Amino acid sequence: MPEGDSVYRATARLHQALAGQTLLSSNFRVPALATTDLTDYSVHEVVPAGKHLLMRLRPPAAGSSGFAAKPLTLHSHLLMEGRWDLYADNERWKKPAHTARVVLKTPAVTAVGFDIAQVRLVPTEQENDLIGHLGPDLLGADWDPELAADNLRRNPRQGIGQALLDQRIMAGVGNVYRCEILFLRRLHPLVEVGQIADLPAVVNLAHRLLTINKDRPRRVTTGQERTREPLWVYGRAGKPCLRCGSPIAMLKIPSTPEGAERDCYWCPHCQPAV
Ligand SMILES: [Zn+2]
């Protein structure tokens, strides 16, 4: 699961390369869109919404039939493995061609979406059907910390470790930030949301961590960018806690609504059960 900050960076890169470009060809390698042809559509903008990537396309001018097509939104969700790459003409792709799901060719550059789990194309006016379920976007222009805290409070028996990954509460936190936020707030991963005194502090920390990292190539939660240990607990099972020296532990927490179990790293000493 990518974090909101990496989707933000991927989106900014695509927007810079593609905005204003007209498509010379499109090639969809997903069954539902196999016959779709977006030739002559132009890329209006590429924007992030939580961990979703929205490419807004303008149709070619109405032809002799007088029929004007609608603006479309190409939605992609990168999930675990997905990524968008940009290539010059004749440049070798960094991933095998059979893993490409979308190929969009423009005069300037070719954008290739590899291993993208979800690719959908909808009229832009229906875009909200795809992302309307998301809570406030941590990196969005309309970020709303009060609403995010209210969404958390709505299910007081839910464990905080599970709630932080629930994109319906707030959008953008992936597993790395989930673990780091819990550590920095000294919260046991299974503590119930209703038992946490200062939920706004949790929400504001999430916003601060994603914001300071959104334009950095390397994700850091421990302080300076050049530090040897960029993260407090994530991926450090068995290694000494950077604060107290106790071994970092790991437990599996089912995520909602997907149900998949995700490893949660934590320090049993710094994050005691309440
Ligand atoms: Zn510790």
Side-chain angles (χ1 to χ4, degrees):
M1 190 186 294
E3 311 281 334
D5 58 348
S6 41
V7 176
Y8 179 94
R9 275 195 299 279
T11 305
R13 212 162 42 84
L14 282 176
H15 178 79
Q16 196 173 22
L18 297 176
Q21 295 284 326
T22 298
L23 299 183
L24 296 175
S25 67
S26 69
N27 184 351
F28 288 93
R29 300 168 184 182
V30 287
L33 297 173
T35 60
T36 303
D37 182 2
L38 296 177
T39 302
D40 292 336
Y41 273 74
S42 61
V43 179
H44 174 53
E45 59 184 351
V46 189
V47 296
K51 299 184 206 172
H52 302 249
L53 201 142
L54 304 175
M55 186 182 297
R56 296 187 179 129
L57 301 156
R58 295 269 167 87
S64 52
S65 67
F67 174 77
K70 286 181 170 179
L72 298 174
T73 295
L74 178 64
H75 162 268
S76 52
H77 194 316
L78 307 181
L79 288 177
M80 298 295 279
E81 306 288 332
R83 62 187 241 189
W84 279 96
D85 283 1
L86 294 163
Y87 295 103
D89 251 355
N90 301 323
E91 189 181 347
R92 239 179 110 89
W93 292 358
K94 291 181 190 127
K95 301 266 286 176
H98 70 86
T99 63
R101 296 287 169 269
V102 188
V103 183
L104 302 175
K105 196 168 165 48
T106 77
V109 72
T110 298
V112 188
F114 294 101
D115 287 317
I116 295 174
Q118 294 174 6
V119 185
R120 288 178 287 192
L121 190 67
V122 297
T124 298
E125 62 195 25
Q126 291 168 26
E127 199 178 86
N128 219 36
D129 295 351
L130 299 179
I131 54 166
H133 64 289
L134 293 177
D137 182 353
L138 281 152
L139 293 176
D142 54 352
W143 165 238
D144 184 342
E146 285 81 23
L147 178 57
D150 285 347
N151 289 348
L152 272 174
R153 285 186 197 103
R154 200 161 295 148
N155 193 353
R157 302 298 308 273
Q158 189 176 27
I160 184 67
Q162 189 176 58
L164 284 175
L165 284 189
D166 189 334
Q167 306 298 303
R168 299 169 298 185
I169 292 173
M170 60 181 171
V173 173
N175 202 17
V176 179
Y177 285 116
R178 181 257 295 265
C179 300
E180 300 298 295
I181 291 164
L182 294 174
F183 178 83
L184 285 164
R185 293 301 308 165
R186 294 182 175 258
L187 293 170
H188 187 286
L190 299 179
V191 69
E192 291 177 2
V193 166
Q195 293 179 278
I196 299 173
D198 197 352
L199 283 174
V202 176
V203 166
N204 289 332
L205 176 62
H207 182 244
R208 192 153 52 86
L209 290 179
L210 264 81
T211 301
I212 60 174
N213 280 298
K214 72 181 168 58
D215 295 316
R216 282 180 179 170
R218 182 169 179 242
R219 188 175 292 131
V220 179
T221 62
T222 51
Q224 297 305 309
E225 208 161 338
R226 290 175 178 277
T227 178
R228 280 178 58 196
E229 295 283 2
L231 303 173
W232 290 103
V233 288
Y234 180 82
R236 300 191 65 248
K239 293 185 180 166
C241 172
L242 298 174
R243 188 187 276 154
C244 76
S246 306
I248 297 299
M250 194 186 78
L251 60 85
K252 290 189 182 293
I253 302 179
S255 57
T256 51
E258 303 90 359
E261 288 196 325
R262 307 294 310 280
D263 295 340
C264 185
Y265 300 87
W266 61 298
C267 173
H269 179 76
C270 294
Q271 297 163 261
V274 288

